[in-house]
Amino acid sequence: MTIPYVARFVGGPLDGREEIWSRPIDEARPTITHVHLHDGPKIEHHYDLHHCDQFGWEYRLRES
């Protein structure tokens, strides 16, 4: 059985989602940009990678 490696998303439109890898990755992306396209203007949210002892890896919504 393979244990997945997980990073949770905290805040914004991706809150509660997870990014899962089947093996350790050499370099995690330090920032992820989520772009929301709709009839109005483009909305971008930026998530920065953090590690905390209680939950492990998290992509936290960057405060503007």
Side-chain angles (χ1 to χ4, degrees):
M1 182 170 139
T2 303
I3 298 173
Y5 297 88
V6 178
R8 300 181 322 132
F9 285 88
V10 179
L14 299 181
D15 189 49
R17 294 186 187 182
E18 297 177 336
E19 186 158 326
I20 301 172
W21 304 276
S22 60
R23 60 180 179 78
I25 55 176
D26 296 330
E27 289 187 31
R29 293 180 287 175
T31 300
I32 289 181
T33 301
H34 173 260
V35 180
H36 181 75
L37 301 174
H38 53 84
D39 294 334
K42 175 175 73 171
I43 299 172
E44 291 186 3
H45 294 92
H46 301 279
Y47 291 85
D48 297 314
L49 185 63
H50 298 273
H51 187 271
C52 66
D53 293 335
Q54 186 176 8
F55 299 112
W57 290 105
E58 296 179 334
Y59 280 107
R60 296 182 194 160
L61 181 64
R62 182 184 299 167
E63 298 297 322
S64 301

